[in-house]
Amino acid sequence: MLQLPLVVTAQVDLVLVLVSLLAFWTRLSLLSYPSAVVFDEVYYGQFVSLYMKRVFFIDDSGPPLGHMILALGAYLGGFDGNFVWNRIGAEYPGGVSVWSLRLLPALCGALCVPLVYLLTLELKFSHLSALGAALLLLLENALIVQSRFMLLESVLIFFTLLAFFSYLRFHNAPASSWSRYGWLLLSGVSCAAAVGVKYMGVFSYLLLVGVASVHTWNLIGDRAVSHMSVCAQCVCRAVCLIVVPVLLYVLWFYVHLSLLNHSGPHDQLMSSAFQASLQGGLSRITQGQPLEVAYGSQVTLRSSASKPVPCWLHSHRANYPIRYENGRGSSHQQQVTCYPFKDVNNWWIIKHPGRQELVVDTPPRPVHHGDVIQLVHGMTSRLLNSHDVAAPMSPHAQEVTGYMDFNVSMPAQNLWRVDVTNREAESEVWKTILSEVRLVHVNTSAVLKLSGVSLPDWGFRQLEVVAEKHFKSHSSSLVWTVEEHRYGTSQEQKEREAELHSPTHIDVDRKISFWAKFVELQWKMLTVKQEASEHKYSSAPFEWITMETNIAYWLHAATNAQIHLIGNPLSWGVANLSLLAYQLLAAVYLLRRRRGFKDLPDGEWQRFVLLGCVCVGGWSVNFVPFLLMDRTLFLYHYLPALCYLYLLSPALLEHVHTHLLSGATHRRALCVCTSAVLLSVFLSYWTFCPLTYGTPELSANQLQALKWRDSWDILYHRR
């Protein structure tokens, strides 16, 4: 029978509640101020607008989940994408909900504070250490600034901390509790989210998988656990920490590609098949094109290489110079180039070598893999030709020309064999957009290739096309795709020139699978990099450790109100000292253990090692990779690494207090010093608050007093 009254008993950690409320207050108060574009909001805002308009784009800085989170906040606030993100400091119009644009990063930044508290407890340190870690994160000015705007670092930090907390919660739970696998699943989901926000999340994910692998290895060696239980636990860990993150990573792209189905500014980086799958743009041109390339087809051939720029096989009424500047001679035949713009001179006609007709038969005779063809330039009627003459800019390769008979013992060599590289059968038909082909010169076995070198002024700065015998078999510069295609019906040149502007429409379904789009987009994101450029506020990784630099995020046009990315100097110093102290202490412990002295019990030693793996390891994997990167870097790239040091500092102090200081006097002195440091951290935070929140406005002298380092760039108006 039901017993009345019903009673619910709950334990509430009031300290956790308090630091959580303070975190929300420091991150969410005055969130709409300033009502202007702040630093990298000008970068991320463009992608948010494209999401609102469902326009396709590529961002090489990371996968799409982070952008989708920012776009979700914009969507909830009713943002329609109609804002031009063209400069920092531009005022948002009244119809834009600035609060909603910045809400989700601010929430993630606020939640990092209680997460650090809970993570410290899962590392098996005291509530006092957990409070210390939470306070360091709470009072870090740089983290507050980065959380309060439409930026992604706070989102990345939130998911990485959540992943480690969830995993350690699983690891520390009783083995008999199957509900603990919910925490393991949450850890895998958080790992996928961290990687989905920024590729830097991969390193934290690998660190977590490494820690989990060690724990799993220890589990396998535990003879007290049955074989069946070991197998079941290993499978569950593999599914939650490997399979689930991979599937979710793919899911982020599936949602991304499903949302962005309209042609956009980055279309030309993608293949013709990818472009044709988007609404507008190329799909409007290629809609209703014939699918199978036939003899008599009029086509444009796009190079599959996206570097230096996408381009199409091209010719025009201009010849190669008789002699180049270096004294080498040419055939003086018609130039063949690759032109990065749509042009009528990009059209070529597929001709059967044994026939003169340049029209498509009824029914059409399709071209198959292995067939030998000739390519006739649509506007000049010159045949695509190559011979044993050095190319103008790449003398190791053969010249490619539109053949002209000068009666100088240089016969035509204009036969090309079609090699469909992505064929599924040897009799594969050459298909519009879908087929990737190599054109192999019959006489010399050289392959038509985009060299990527720009021709001089006599070649109108267009890109050189050559025929090369020695090549990498999988190079994209050797592959060509039919992009625009029509069936030719006019034999006379004048009629044919007019026909090139009026395609024949035949309804053909030419869809590309999600997996093909996913692989192509993934490859482009990893390989198509923007050129590194100098920025006024860019910095080197070693400058971050000592905070040699700052970043001016926003400056008021008329007053001294401004926001800077400047860390809390006191807590920054505490973090660096903790990192150094842990490394020295670990080295001493290891040397003494090697000599047979065990200063710590096994349980305490394992806790100390786990602290180093998570905190020092987390700092390392989020800092060291930047030393190897050839890209523009900023101070905010250091923030994920810094969070791990704030997690380390109080835990290391507790370790020193408990295991290294035996006298009550020494322990009291450490407590007094720790309290003084925390007070100094708070005073430092309060001192830099005007530069963190942009209010209150300071005078020029007050701003000058905040310039604690000569290398900091703080601007002000003198009155």
Side-chain angles (χ1 to χ4, degrees):
M1 294 294 293
L2 184 65
Q3 298 293 321
L4 296 177
L6 295 175
V7 178
V8 176
T9 303
Q11 289 185 332
V12 178
D13 188 336
L14 294 180
V15 174
L16 175 61
V17 172
L18 178 61
V19 295
S20 299
L21 292 175
L22 289 173
F24 282 107
W25 179 71
T26 55
R27 270 67 176 175
L28 294 176
S29 59
L30 300 175
L31 194 59
S32 297
Y33 179 83
S35 184
V37 178
V38 174
F39 200 63
D40 270 356
E41 286 187 336
V42 74
Y43 176 75
Y44 292 111
Q46 300 175 47
F47 301 129
V48 170
S49 288
L50 292 175
Y51 267 115
M52 295 301 103
K53 297 176 182 295
R54 304 191 67 177
V55 171
F56 174 77
F57 67 86
I58 297 178
D59 178 23
D60 64 1
S61 68
L65 180 61
H67 299 311
M68 289 193 287
I69 290 174
L70 298 181
L72 175 61
Y75 174 78
L76 294 175
F79 181 57
D80 58 5
N82 292 320
F83 179 73
V84 180
W85 307 86
N86 56 0
R87 64 181 180 88
I88 299 172
E91 292 288 330
Y92 289 112
V96 174
S97 175
V98 182
W99 188 83
S100 68
L101 289 176
R102 297 169 177 170
L103 176 62
L104 294 183
L107 286 176
C108 289
L111 289 172
C112 288
V113 176
L115 264 180
V116 162
Y117 182 94
L118 294 171
L119 183 52
T120 304
L121 295 180
E122 292 304 324
L123 287 168
K124 299 183 179 180
F125 288 89
S126 68
H127 284 79
L128 202 57
S129 293
L131 175 61
L135 288 177
L136 287 175
L137 215 70
L138 176 71
L139 301 176
E140 175 48 57
N141 300 73
L143 287 173
I144 295 174
V145 170
Q146 200 68 16
S147 300
R148 290 172 50 81
F149 301 109
M150 194 171 54
L151 307 171
L152 289 180
E153 271 63 37
S154 63
V155 183
L156 173 63
I157 294 169
F158 167 73
F159 282 122
T160 54
L161 291 177
L162 181 59
F164 276 99
F165 163 70
S166 303
Y167 174 74
L168 290 176
R169 191 67 177 264
F170 156 80
H171 177 68
N172 294 331
S176 58
S177 173
W178 283 96
S179 61
R180 70 189 186 123
Y181 286 98
W183 290 108
L184 185 63
L185 180 61
L186 178 58
S187 180
V189 171
S190 302
C191 288
V195 177
V197 170
K198 284 198 169 188
Y199 280 127
M200 278 302 299
V202 169
F203 299 107
S204 294
Y205 169 58
L206 293 177
L207 175 64
L208 189 146
V209 170
V211 172
S213 299
V214 173
H215 289 162
T216 304
W217 186 251
N218 293 335
L219 171 68
I220 294 172
D222 188 353
R223 298 297 298 273
V225 183
S226 67
H227 297 324
M228 185 63 68
S229 179
V230 168
C231 291
Q233 291 194 50
C234 289
V235 169
C236 288
R237 293 171 192 231
V239 169
C240 291
L241 295 182
I242 298 177
V243 177
V244 169
V246 170
L247 292 178
L248 286 177
Y249 181 78
V250 175
L251 177 63
W252 310 146
F253 281 91
Y254 181 83
V255 176
H256 174 73
L257 292 172
S258 298
L259 290 174
L260 306 186
N261 57 1
H262 288 74
S263 175
H266 297 160
D267 285 12
Q268 284 198 342
L269 295 174
M270 310 308 294
S271 68
S272 300
F274 195 109
Q275 292 183 54
S277 70
L278 302 172
Q279 297 179 23
L282 182 62
S283 67
R284 290 185 299 178
I285 299 172
T286 61
Q287 185 178 10
Q289 289 187 156
L291 176 62
E292 296 183 345
V293 177
Y295 293 106
S297 287
Q298 300 168 353
V299 301
T300 62
L301 290 165
R302 183 182 188 266
S303 171
S304 293
S306 59
K307 296 179 181 180
V309 289
C311 62
W312 292 263
L313 191 66
H314 177 93
S315 189
H316 41 240
R317 298 183 187 278
N319 297 354
Y320 291 108
I322 297 176
R323 290 203 174 274
Y324 302 122
E325 293 181 356
N326 59 9
R328 288 192 297 110
S330 77
S331 65
H332 195 49
Q333 295 183 15
Q334 185 167 298
Q335 297 174 16
V336 173
T337 64
C338 206
Y339 189 51
F341 301 99
K342 300 285 187 180
D343 189 86
V344 71
N345 281 313
N346 296 345
W347 285 96
W348 298 81
I349 302 168
I350 309 297
K351 179 182 176 296
H352 192 288
R355 302 177 59 190
Q356 294 302 315
E357 291 81 10
L358 296 178
V359 297
V360 174
D361 295 338
T362 305
R365 295 177 56 197
V367 180
H368 295 79
H369 166 73
D371 286 355
V372 175
I373 63 169
Q374 292 175 309
L375 283 165
V376 181
H377 188 241
M379 300 302 292
T380 64
S381 297
R382 301 294 181 190
L383 290 164
L384 186 70
N385 184 83
S386 185
H387 41 219
D388 192 17
V389 175
M393 310 304 294
S394 306
H396 62 279
Q398 294 177 185
E399 179 186 70
V400 175
T401 68
Y403 182 71
M404 302 175 70
D405 187 3
F406 292 122
N407 196 21
V408 289
S409 301
M410 192 172 286
Q413 299 182 41
N414 50 35
L415 299 179
W416 301 86
R417 187 174 67 254
V418 176
D419 178 16
V420 181
T421 60
N422 61 341
R423 63 186 180 276
E424 297 179 358
E426 288 303 311
S427 59
E428 181 85 19
V429 174
W430 187 2
K431 297 183 181 70
T432 306
I433 291 179
L434 302 178
S435 294
E436 298 177 351
V437 302
R438 294 190 306 175
L439 295 172
V440 183
H441 191 235
V442 172
N443 297 80
T444 63
S445 298
V447 179
L448 190 70
K449 177 184 177 181
L450 168 66
S451 74
V453 182
S454 294
L455 295 170
D457 290 338
W458 55 257
F460 309 101
R461 297 291 171 181
Q462 296 176 18
L463 301 177
E464 181 190 43
V465 172
V466 301
E468 188 168 291
K469 294 181 181 179
H470 306 288
F471 53 83
K472 296 179 181 178
S473 58
H474 300 293
S475 173
S476 60
S477 59
L478 302 169
V479 177
W480 303 82
T481 304
V482 170
E483 187 169 273
E484 297 179 65
H485 177 207
R486 57 174 67 88
Y487 282 163
T489 58
S490 301
Q491 182 66 31
E492 297 298 324
Q493 178 67 18
K494 293 293 185 183
E495 296 176 359
R496 191 163 58 244
E497 291 179 11
E499 186 182 14
L500 293 178
H501 298 87
S502 55
T504 302
H505 289 279
I506 302 175
D507 290 331
V508 174
D509 186 11
R510 196 179 295 108
K511 291 183 179 179
I512 181 175
S513 70
F514 160 72
W515 290 108
K517 294 173 72 173
F518 168 75
V519 171
E520 180 179 347
L521 178 57
Q522 190 69 52
W523 179 250
K524 294 295 182 184
M525 291 176 63
L526 294 173
T527 57
V528 178
K529 297 295 182 183
Q530 299 176 357
E531 293 184 4
S533 57
E534 286 296 323
H535 189 282
K536 179 180 180 180
Y537 293 108
S538 62
S539 53
F542 283 118
E543 294 177 318
W544 305 339
I545 298 177
T546 54
M547 205 163 55
E548 292 284 339
T549 182
N550 69 305
I551 304 177
Y553 268 20
W554 171 79
L555 305 172
H556 194 280
T559 71
N560 280 329
Q562 52 193 283
I563 294 175
H564 287 256
L565 185 74
I566 294 180
N568 186 322
L570 267 296
S571 55
W572 214 281
V574 168
N576 291 335
L577 287 175
S578 300
L579 176 63
L580 180 61
Y582 182 91
Q583 291 172 322
L584 291 175
L585 195 56
V588 171
Y589 280 153
L590 286 171
L591 288 173
R592 286 179 60 81
R593 288 177 76 87
R594 186 63 178 168
R595 296 294 298 169
F597 300 101
K598 289 190 176 182
D599 301 295
L600 301 174
D602 288 341
E604 185 59 34
W605 171 249
Q606 290 175 5
R607 186 174 74 153
F608 183 80
V609 170
L610 181 60
L611 176 68
C613 290
V614 173
C615 298
V616 179
W619 176 84
S620 300
V621 300
N622 284 281
F623 175 73
V624 174
F626 288 112
L627 300 175
L628 309 176
M629 291 184 184
D630 183 21
R631 54 174 291 188
T632 306
L633 300 174
F634 297 93
L635 179 63
Y636 58 74
H637 286 122
Y638 186 61
L639 296 182
L642 182 67
C643 290
Y644 288 97
L645 297 187
Y646 288 159
L647 190 64
L648 172 68
S649 302
L652 187 61
L653 274 177
E654 180 181 335
H655 177 85
V656 171
H657 180 274
T658 305
H659 297 283
L660 298 183
L661 300 180
S662 56
T665 304
H666 293 159
R667 290 183 174 181
R668 281 196 295 270
L670 179 63
C671 292
V672 170
C673 292
T674 302
S675 300
V677 169
L678 282 176
L679 179 61
S680 301
V681 167
F682 172 76
L683 293 175
S684 177
Y685 156 77
W686 189 257
T687 300
F688 285 94
C689 269
L691 298 184
T692 300
Y693 296 96
T695 183
E697 178 193 351
L698 301 180
S699 67
N701 290 334
Q702 289 173 316
L703 288 171
Q704 185 66 28
L706 289 180
K707 192 174 181 180
W708 287 14
R709 300 189 71 103
D710 292 336
S711 56
W712 288 358
D713 186 19
I714 297 179
L715 308 176
Y716 46 86
H717 300 278
R718 290 194 178 275
R719 297 175 181 174

